[in-house]
């Protein structure tokens, strides 16, 4: 019993570490567009988001119950070391995608980790397949599409309503709207993502016989999960904020307002229904929808493609890592120790790699390198060109006949005349 108590304590600490990584991994969901448009300063934005994540954690427990008794069969013989292995798989995947600056799903990393570890330890009967399909896979496909379509429609409506107004006059109001909608997204994030850690801790307490099956999370579990995700949010996942705010599309205040409002509505509705969807996928879909909704704006499809690939890999990749960890952890105390040491080593290596190219609140808005114009971008510009007098988004402008051609081989590139001509044309 003493060993089980110690192991449950390790699981609880590991779950809170995952919750912390969830916080800084998903800060971009609420604040990337607000930061990129200058509606709030970066540090102010993450502080507000952290406080509202904490408040949101106390608003509902429906998603927590989906985790603790919906996806995994808590009566199938799942032990605390299995939950520990699942959390290790989720944490490692979260850190790898954070290093790459990809807004992947912390939720699906957690689901994949728990499913992979349970399959190795208990077998297929330990996983509720129908719940995985209905409450994880279907929302994973539907939610970003629904949020993207809502955001695209809201963006088009927003620009239509203000088409005869001066942009400078409306920008201030939209920035205020962005702050309000970002607050709503942060609150919604707390009601959905903080509950996932509550569910995992509750599952560990049930498997250890500490609380009864199907019990709601105790108050101390709710408070600790809320504090962990709030702390992670405050530290800010600046790499993913840069990708979400600058890498997908060039966001103007009306787009940011429309994207965040659509995302918040989708997340809050799913939390009420107990759908443990990915807030990252919802918010990313909303940002892409806002890019498609503004005439002349272009989604950077290569970035979007990398994101979608990461979404598809999250469940199996986290599950594979967790399956290996579960196999080791089930060998006894030495196996649990080995998993912990390996996890710490991998996390330390990822952190060291991130120090080679530091991104923080001082340079988060410097944006990624420009991408060349691709086939999809060219086709979209053909059917939806920028409004008259509005330049194409930076980094995506197509080549025109006004560009200065490269000098021919053997030409005197050092002569002053060509340089003067090039300077004149560039202006």
């Amino acid at each position: 019993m003493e060993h089980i108590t110690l192991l449950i304590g390790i699981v609880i600490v590991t779950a809170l570490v995952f919750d912390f990584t969830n916080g800084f991994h998903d800060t971009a969901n609420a604040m990337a567009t607000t930061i990129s448009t200058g509606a709030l300063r970066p540090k102010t934005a993450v502080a507000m988001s952290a406080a509202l994540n904490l408040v949101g954690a106390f608003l509902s427990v429906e998603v927590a119950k989906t985790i603790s008794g919906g996806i995994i069969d808590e009566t199938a013989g799942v032990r605390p070391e299995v939950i520990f292995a699942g959390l290790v798989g989720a944490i490692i995947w979260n850190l790898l995608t954070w290093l790459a600056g990809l807004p992947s799903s912390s939720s699906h990393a957690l689901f994949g980790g728990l499913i992979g570890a349970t399959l190795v330890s208990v077998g297929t009967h330990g996983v509720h397949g129908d719940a995985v399909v209905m409450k994880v896979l279907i929302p994973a496909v539907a939610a970003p599409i629904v949020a993207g379509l809502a955001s695209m429609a809201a963006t088009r409506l927003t620009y239509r309503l203000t088409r005869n107004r001066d942009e400078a006059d409306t920008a201030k109001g939209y920035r205020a709207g962005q702050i309000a909608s970002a607050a709503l997204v942060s609150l919604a994030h707390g009601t959905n993502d903080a509950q996932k850690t509550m569910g995992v801790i509750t599952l560990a307490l049930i498997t250890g016989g500490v609380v009864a099956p199907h019990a709601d999370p105790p108050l101390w579990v709710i408070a600790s999960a809320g504090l962990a995700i709030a702390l992670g949010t405050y530290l800010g996942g600046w790499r993913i904020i840069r990708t979400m705010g600058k890498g997908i599309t060039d966001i103007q205040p009306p787009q940011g307002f429309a994207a965040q409002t659509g995302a918040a509505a989708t997340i809050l509705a799913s939390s009420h229904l107990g759908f443990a969807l990915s807030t990252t996928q919802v918010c990313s879909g909303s940002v892409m929808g806002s890019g498609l909704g503004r005439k002349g704006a272009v989604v950077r499809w290569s970035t979007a493609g990398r994101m979608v690939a990461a979404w598809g890999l999250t469940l199996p990749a986290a599950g594979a890592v967790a399956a290996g960890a579960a196999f080791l952890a089930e060998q006894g105390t030495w196996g649990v120790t080995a998993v912990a040491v390996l996890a710490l080593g991998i996390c330390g290596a990822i952190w060291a790699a991130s120090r080679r190219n530091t991104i923080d609140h001082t340079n988060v808005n410097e944006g990624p390198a420009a991408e060349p114009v691709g086939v999809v971008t060219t086709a979209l510009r053909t059917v939806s060109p920028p409004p008259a007098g509005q330049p194409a988004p930076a980094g995506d402008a197509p080549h025109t006949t006004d560009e200065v051609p490269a000098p021919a081989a053997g030409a005197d590139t050092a002569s002053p005349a060509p340089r003067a001509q090039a300077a004149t044309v560039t202006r």
Side-chain angles (χ1 to χ4, degrees), residues 211-231:
V211 300
H214 309 294
D216 287 348
L219 180 60
W220 68 267
V221 171
I222 297 174
S224 59
L227 288 170
I229 200 169
L231 179 60

Side-chain angles (χ1 to χ4, degrees), residues 95 98-99 239 345-357:
L95 292 178
W98 164 75
L99 180 64
R239 293 172 179 273
I346 293 171
C347 293
I350 293 172
W351 181 85
S354 72
R355 297 299 90 196
R356 299 174 188 168
N357 178 26

Side-chain angles (χ1 to χ4, degrees), residues 77-343:
V78 175
R79 293 179 292 173
E81 52 261 49
V82 176
I83 302 172
F84 171 65
L87 288 166
V88 167
I91 290 170
I92 289 175
W93 182 254
N94 262 3
L95 292 178
L96 283 172
T97 51
W98 164 75
L99 180 64
L102 289 174
S104 69
S105 171
S106 298
S107 305
H108 288 179
L110 177 60
F111 302 149
L114 290 175
I115 292 169
T118 301
L119 289 175
V120 167
S121 176
V122 178
T124 55
H125 68 280
V127 179
H128 291 149
D130 54 345
V132 172
V133 172
M134 294 301 297
K135 293 202 170 187
V136 177
L137 296 182
I138 291 178
V141 175
I145 296 174
V146 170
L149 291 174
S151 176
M152 181 172 67
T155 301
R156 290 185 175 178
L157 177 62
T158 297
Y159 277 101
R160 182 176 295 275
L161 291 175
T162 60
R163 64 183 181 274
N164 296 323
R165 298 287 301 276
D166 182 72
E167 184 178 337
D169 292 338
T170 59
K172 185 176 180 180
Y174 277 122
R175 287 194 175 96
Q178 271 193 279
I179 295 172
S181 59
L184 191 58
V185 173
S186 297
L187 193 69
H189 185 261
T191 65
N192 200 284
D193 277 41
Q195 288 189 58
K196 291 160 189 169
T197 299
M198 297 177 208
V200 171
I201 295 175
T202 304
L203 180 60
L205 295 175
I206 291 171
T207 59
V210 179
V211 300
H214 309 294
D216 287 348
L219 180 60
W220 68 267
V221 171
I222 297 174
S224 59
L227 288 170
I229 200 169
L231 179 60
T233 300
Y234 177 71
L235 292 180
W238 303 110
R239 293 172 179 273
I240 299 175
I241 290 175
R242 173 184 284 187
T243 300
M244 189 88 83
K246 294 290 186 180
I248 300 174
T249 187
D250 297 296
I251 298 177
Q252 295 181 355
Q255 291 172 272
F257 172 70
Q260 289 170 322
T261 303
T266 305
I267 296 168
L268 287 172
S270 67
S271 295
H272 178 70
L273 296 172
F275 288 152
L277 53 70
S278 166
T279 55
T280 300
Q281 291 182 1
V282 170
C283 293
S284 300
S286 291
V287 171
M288 284 189 273
S290 73
L292 294 173
R294 176 168 70 91
K295 291 190 71 174
V298 174
V299 174
R300 296 184 177 91
W301 292 106
S302 62
T303 301
R306 290 193 296 271
M307 286 168 40
V308 173
W311 294 352
L313 287 172
T314 295
L315 273 167
V321 174
F327 178 79
L328 269 179
E330 290 204 313
Q331 306 308 309
T333 303
W334 74 266
V336 174
T337 304
V339 171
V341 171
L342 286 171

